[in-house]
Amino acid sequence: MIANQARLLKSINGEFFTSVYRITGRVSFSGLGLVSVLSDSTRSAMMIEDAYISHIAQPSVIIGHRASVHVPKTSLDLMVFGKSENTGIESIRSNITRVTRHKVFMATNTFEILGLLDAASGKFDPELYLTNVVSAFIPILTVSASAYFLPKAIYAGEIAFVNRAHINLITADD
């Protein structure tokens, strides 16, 4: 047990959103960063430590604070992080030789998301992102997101991960 705890060397603070809740807290990991947690097929849930919980409709009203909260990865719509360090995004890009950045708009049942999406092929191919079975979460850079029913509450960060299965539409400015 102590050996496993020693492996948890890094953590990242962020905002984690389901369709109803906003959870602000920290995810700990070993390996390549948050990407290793998201892509770990042996774990179906993510543990968020030092978690503050609020409803998306009232983001400033904290309804609870817990030492840890477990959230099924399939329930997460969106995760927003202030900085891209410790996300492991570099490991995704390591095999890409040519990257083209596209300004994108995405919508889930709850959120409207604006940001930049890196494409390896040069051309924006929405079907690639909607059907890609390699990663359940799509990284978006320089992101801003808002719940459609509360557009004044904007969640912004250097990077976000959007659950591919929750996307209702995606488009890019070319």
Side-chain angles (χ1 to χ4, degrees), residues 22-160:
R22 172 189 182 212
I23 305 159
T24 304
R26 176 182 67 245
V27 173
S28 295
F29 56 86
S30 61
L32 299 174
L34 180 70
V35 169
S36 64
V37 175
L38 295 175
S39 60
D40 184 352
S41 60
T42 64
R43 305 261 182 203
S44 61
M46 177 182 292
M47 184 174 74
I48 303 168
E49 301 166 317
D50 193 21
Y52 291 87
I53 306 163
S54 61
H55 291 111
I56 292 172
Q58 296 179 306
S60 62
V61 178
I62 305 298
I63 61 171
H65 174 255
R66 300 288 185 267
S68 65
V69 173
H70 290 80
V71 180
K73 293 179 200 176
T74 56
S75 294
L76 289 167
D77 272 6
L78 170 70
M79 294 166 278
V80 178
F81 302 95
K83 296 184 178 188
S84 63
E85 60 193 45
N86 289 337
T87 59
I89 192 74
E90 304 81 25
S91 65
I92 295 172
R93 293 183 184 150
S94 65
N95 296 331
I96 302 172
T97 56
R98 186 175 145 230
V99 174
T100 305
R101 196 160 276 175
H102 301 276
K103 185 175 179 182
V104 294
F105 171 81
M106 293 181 180
T108 68
N109 284 342
T110 306
F111 293 99
E112 294 177 344
I113 303 153
L114 292 168
L116 302 172
L117 177 66
D118 286 348
S121 63
K123 184 180 176 191
F124 176 72
D125 182 0
E127 287 192 36
L128 175 70
Y129 297 100
L130 294 174
T131 60
N132 181 358
V133 293
V134 173
S135 176
F137 293 91
I138 300 171
I140 306 295
L141 305 171
T142 316
V143 69
S144 67
S146 62
Y148 72 89
F149 53 82
L150 194 62
K152 290 183 181 180
I154 297 174
Y155 306 101
E158 199 173 293
I159 190 166

